[in-house]
Amino acid sequence: MKRLTVILFALLCSTFAKSQDFEVSPLKFYFNAEPGESQTKFLSIKNHAGKSETFILNISDYVIDNKGQGKYEEAGSMKNSIADWISIAPSFFELAPQEEKQIAITIQQPADEYSSKWGVIFARTAQEQTAFTADKNVSAGMAISSRIAIMVYQTPGSNKNYKATISNMSEITAKDDTIRTFSAIVNNMSDVITDCTVAMIATDINNGEEYEFPKMAFTMYPKNSRKVEMTLPNGKLPKGTYSLAAILDYGSKTNLEGTQIIITVE
């Protein structure tokens, strides 16, 4: 793998991420501190470079649009930013070759505050440069190189008010497409960060035979809506008339939600 000189976006479904220079673990933190309580978890960073490296950890806000596309914003700029609730110790340090360090990530949930907050910790290496080439956004003489993103979520453990819905299923296949595409709208109506799974199931209305297709998993943020798209490749269903349902599972202790339409496979 070539040395990374641009942003390294870690796969958020993994438990750790590794560049040529360093690795971090885990890639997701789920805090459940109660109002007035602090909670600490630990981030592991290991230097795989053949020389000592300086590391910088900082916070960014993270927002998702209704198509599930995420982007980073300045820390503290969003309503549900975790920036004012989180501390990182240390956030600037040096590691020798093959050295590993545990970083304390602490959440302090304010008293009488039951809402969810979230954000991203960026773990980055820094390389020495002259004052003439240094990045103006960091300390003089330092330039940011590769970075790995670590998601941080905080929801009080006592907040069990999960509520999500799925509705408005429709076909959005273009006229010349060989793959049929369907969409639905998922709404997280609660103040809780919710992990969701949507499954698409086709049921033959003549004989009751069911066909289930690969599930899609994603995270829904409080009071957020998202349009999900599901595909049905041609040839996967025998000819017939089907009830096509999108089933939403948003927690083992909650009811399933669903929406459906009738389709014909010719």
Side-chain angles (χ1 to χ4, degrees):
M1 183 187 298
K2 296 181 179 179
R3 180 180 175 87
L4 296 177
T5 56
V6 295
I7 296 172
L8 173 65
F9 288 102
L11 295 174
L12 297 182
C13 60
S14 302
T15 57
F16 75 95
K18 181 178 177 181
S19 73
Q20 181 176 347
D21 293 335
F22 70 102
E23 71 178 70
V24 303
S25 177
L27 288 183
K28 286 186 179 182
F29 282 100
Y30 291 93
F31 288 88
N32 58 357
E34 298 294 344
E37 179 183 62
S38 66
Q39 195 173 86
T40 299
K41 297 179 183 289
F42 291 90
L43 175 70
S44 175
I45 299 183
K46 185 172 183 178
N47 178 20
H48 289 285
K51 61 184 180 67
S52 294
E53 291 278 11
T54 299
F55 291 86
I56 300 169
L57 276 67
N58 56 16
I59 298 293
S60 174
D61 285 358
Y62 183 70
V63 294
I64 295 280
D65 64 20
N66 61 7
K67 295 181 179 180
Q69 301 298 312
K71 65 177 181 178
Y72 304 114
E73 299 287 354
E74 181 180 355
S77 62
M78 308 304 297
K79 177 182 177 181
N80 290 301
S81 172
I82 205 169
D84 291 337
W85 295 11
I86 193 170
S87 62
I88 303 170
S91 60
F92 186 88
F93 53 91
E94 184 175 292
L95 292 180
Q98 304 307 312
E99 184 180 3
E100 187 171 1
K101 190 175 185 66
Q102 300 294 310
I103 310 301
I105 311 298
T106 300
I107 294 293
Q108 176 65 59
Q109 180 88 359
D112 302 321
E113 177 63 77
Y114 284 88
S115 63
S116 294
K117 302 288 183 180
W118 62 88
V120 176
I121 297 173
F122 282 118
R124 309 191 273 193
T125 59
Q127 58 189 17
E128 296 288 346
Q129 290 194 346
T130 67
F132 296 102
T133 59
D135 190 327
K136 295 180 181 179
N137 294 322
V138 297
S139 302
M142 290 288 184
I144 297 302
S145 56
S146 58
R147 71 181 184 179
I148 294 174
I150 303 104
M151 297 299 301
V152 182
Y153 306 101
Q154 157 61 21
T155 298
S158 57
N159 189 343
K160 303 297 185 182
N161 186 30
Y162 292 92
K163 180 59 180 176
T165 63
I166 186 168
S167 60
N168 299 339
M169 190 174 186
S170 63
E171 184 166 5
I172 56 174
T173 307
K175 185 174 294 185
D176 297 329
D177 284 352
T178 58
I179 298 175
R180 299 180 71 171
T181 305
F182 302 84
S183 69
I185 303 298
V186 178
N187 287 290
N188 182 2
M189 307 175 74
S190 72
D191 292 319
V192 181
I193 297 168
T194 305
D195 288 327
C196 297
T197 301
V198 172
M200 189 167 67
I201 301 174
T203 304
D204 190 317
I205 63 173
N206 292 314
N207 58 28
E209 188 170 357
E210 290 188 350
Y211 302 83
E212 186 168 350
F213 300 92
K215 298 177 181 179
M216 61 183 302
F218 51 91
T219 298
M220 285 292 294
Y221 295 88
K223 302 294 192 286
N224 184 247
S225 295
R226 174 173 176 170
K227 181 180 180 180
V228 296
E229 294 187 2
M230 300 150 285
T231 59
L232 179 66
N234 286 346
K236 294 296 183 180
L237 287 177
K239 294 181 180 180
T241 302
Y242 295 86
S243 170
L244 187 65
I247 307 299
L248 171 67
D249 184 347
Y250 59 97
S252 59
K253 296 182 180 179
T254 60
N255 295 324
L256 298 177
E257 298 282 338
T259 180
Q260 66 179 357
I261 58 173
I262 301 298
I263 65 169
T264 299
V265 177
E266 298 179 346

